[in-house]
Amino acid sequence: MIVKTYLKVSNPVQRCLFINVSDISLKLFRGTKLRRSFKVIRYNSEINTKSILEYVNRLNIKTIVIETSNLNHLPENLTNDIIDARLSGVRVFDAQEFYEIVNRRIPLVKLSSNEYLADDIFSIGLKHHSGLSSKRIIDLLVVLSILPVALPLVVLGCLLTLLSSSGNVLFVQERIGVGSKKFKIYKIRTMKSKHNGGYTTSNDDRITIVGKFLRLSKIDELPQLYNILRGDMSLIGPRPERPEFVDLSNEENAYFDLRHVIKPGVTGWAQVNLPKATPDDNLKKLEYDLYYIKNYSPRLDIEILLRTIKVVMTMNSN
C-alpha cells in the first residue's frame, strides 16, 4: 500500500526503513541529501525473521520506503504489517517516489543488461496540457513587460561585443525544441569568432573578456526573448541542446528525448540546480528536467525564477 504525500526532509536526522533494497534505493544511498535527514535501516523480507512492526516500534521508525522494482508481488504478512504501520502514523513511500522527494529529480536507472527501470515515466507531461496553455500566456506577458529594460541591455551587449572583438554580434545556432524539431536560437556572441566548437569548459579561453561579463550577467541570453515571442521557447524549461549533442545524449540514455515533450527554456530546473554543470552531469540534468516536466506547476516556476534571479545577482555562470 503506497501512500503519496509530501515530505519535508529538513527535520533532524530520523530512522528510515528500506524494504527490499535494489537499484533505485542504492542510487539514492550514493547521494548526499538522504544522509542529511535520514539514517538508513535495511530490511529484506526474504531473510529477516522479525516483522516490520517490531522494527517500527523498537527503533521508532516514522518512514518506510518499499522497493517494488525487484518484486512481482508483496506477501500478505508484509502487506498487513505495512498497512498497520501506516495506520499508526508511519509514512510509506515507493522508492522511486521517495527518491523524487529527497532529490527533487527523477531516478533514471540503466541496468547492465542495457535495459531500463521504467515506471510512469512515459506518461510525464500528459496531464499538463491546459497548464501549458496558460504558461504560454504568462510567457508573453512577462516578455512584453520586461522588453523596455531588456532591449537597452541587448543594445549595450551588442555594442560592447562589436567594439571588443571581430565577428558577428549575434550568435545564431540550431537547437532542438519541442517535438524534437529544430529551431534557431539567438544570443549575443561571447566567444571568439573562430574556434573548434565543443562543450564550454571552466576557464574556457575561447570566451572573450566582454563575453565573460555578458555570461555572468546573463545579458547574452536576452535575445532569446525573441525565441519566446516566436513560440520556439518558454521562459522556463529544459535547456535547448544542439542536434549533435542530442544524438550523443540519446545514445547514452534512451529517455533523453522525453525532454522534448515541452518547449525548452531560457532557464530551468536543471539550470538552477546545476549552474556549473559539466558533461559528466548529463544524467543528473536529465533527471532534473524530467522532474520538472512531471511536476510542472506555477509554484515551481516561481521558485525557478527566484533562484535564477539569485544566480544573476551573484553572477554565477552556467
Side-chain angles (χ1 to χ4, degrees), residues 250-316:
N250 281 330
E251 291 177 8
E252 291 177 5
N253 196 295
Y255 291 133
F256 190 82
D257 252 345
L258 283 174
R259 298 168 77 255
H260 303 126
V261 300
I262 65 170
K263 291 179 181 179
V266 178
T267 186
W269 189 232
Q271 293 94 301
V272 297
N273 278 283
L274 296 169
K276 297 181 179 180
T278 68
D280 292 335
D281 297 314
N282 282 347
L283 180 61
K284 280 186 179 179
K285 289 194 297 181
L286 178 58
E287 290 182 338
Y288 279 120
D289 284 334
L290 296 182
Y291 177 91
Y292 173 77
I293 296 169
K294 181 178 179 180
N295 297 281
Y296 163 73
S297 69
R299 181 177 178 179
L300 183 56
D301 272 3
I302 291 171
E303 180 180 349
I304 293 169
L305 283 175
L306 291 176
R307 291 176 64 171
T308 301
I309 292 170
K310 182 179 178 181
V311 169
V312 173
M313 296 302 292
T314 55
M315 285 199 170
N316 287 324

Side-chain angles (χ1 to χ4, degrees), residues 16-30:
C16 179
L17 184 66
F18 279 77
I19 300 175
N20 298 325
V21 169
S22 189
D23 297 276
I24 293 177
S25 296
L26 291 173
K27 185 179 174 73
L28 182 57
F29 296 163
R30 288 192 291 268

Side-chain angles (χ1 to χ4, degrees), residues 213-283:
F213 165 73
L214 295 177
R215 287 190 173 212
L216 288 171
S217 62
K218 308 302 179 188
I219 291 176
D220 67 312
E221 306 277 359
L222 291 178
Q224 292 173 63
L225 297 179
Y226 175 66
N227 286 115
I228 296 175
L229 291 174
R230 282 172 49 93
D232 300 323
M233 297 177 63
S234 174
L235 276 173
I236 298 172
R239 179 187 178 93
E241 298 289 358
R242 291 160 58 180
E244 56 268 35
F245 290 160
V246 170
D247 291 338
L248 287 173
S249 297
N250 281 330
E251 291 177 8
E252 291 177 5
N253 196 295
Y255 291 133
F256 190 82
D257 252 345
L258 283 174
R259 298 168 77 255
H260 303 126
V261 300
I262 65 170
K263 291 179 181 179
V266 178
T267 186
W269 189 232
Q271 293 94 301
V272 297
N273 278 283
L274 296 169
K276 297 181 179 180
T278 68
D280 292 335
D281 297 314
N282 282 347
L283 180 61

Side-chain angles (χ1 to χ4, degrees), residues 183-240:
F183 73 97
K184 290 183 178 179
I185 195 172
Y186 298 89
K187 295 185 180 184
I188 300 175
R189 179 174 56 81
T190 58
M191 288 188 174
K192 299 171 184 177
S193 296
K194 295 183 179 180
H195 58 78
N196 55 4
Y199 285 106
T200 304
T201 60
S202 179
N203 300 318
D204 199 319
D205 60 5
R206 298 172 299 172
I207 302 175
T208 65
I209 295 176
V210 168
K212 289 179 181 179
F213 165 73
L214 295 177
R215 287 190 173 212
L216 288 171
S217 62
K218 308 302 179 188
I219 291 176
D220 67 312
E221 306 277 359
L222 291 178
Q224 292 173 63
L225 297 179
Y226 175 66
N227 286 115
I228 296 175
L229 291 174
R230 282 172 49 93
D232 300 323
M233 297 177 63
S234 174
L235 276 173
I236 298 172
R239 179 187 178 93

Side-chain angles (χ1 to χ4, degrees), residues 35-132:
R35 293 193 294 271
R36 294 174 191 166
S37 302
F38 295 98
K39 180 179 180 181
V40 172
I41 298 168
R42 303 188 188 194
Y43 181 95
N44 189 324
S45 61
E46 296 180 354
I47 298 175
N48 287 68
T49 56
K50 294 181 180 179
S51 70
I52 295 293
L53 292 179
E54 288 182 77
Y55 275 82
V56 168
N57 295 329
R58 183 164 60 88
L59 300 176
N60 192 31
I61 289 171
K62 300 298 182 184
T63 304
I64 291 176
V65 179
I66 310 171
E67 180 86 59
T68 57
S69 62
N70 59 340
L71 288 176
N72 292 321
H73 62 276
L74 285 176
E76 185 176 13
N77 62 327
L78 182 61
T79 301
N80 290 334
D81 279 354
I82 294 172
I83 291 174
D84 287 341
R86 178 69 185 92
L87 293 176
S88 67
V90 176
R91 292 164 297 191
V92 181
F93 299 91
D94 174 82
Q96 175 164 331
E97 179 191 18
F98 192 69
Y99 182 101
E100 290 184 33
I101 292 170
V102 171
N103 288 320
R104 301 190 74 183
R105 62 180 198 259
I106 285 179
L108 297 178
V109 178
K110 187 175 183 179
L111 306 175
S112 57
S113 59
N114 237 21
E115 297 175 328
Y116 295 86
L117 291 181
D119 186 23
D120 58 352
I121 190 168
F122 297 109
S123 64
I124 63 170
L126 292 179
K127 62 182 180 180
H128 299 312
H129 286 305
S130 58
L132 292 176

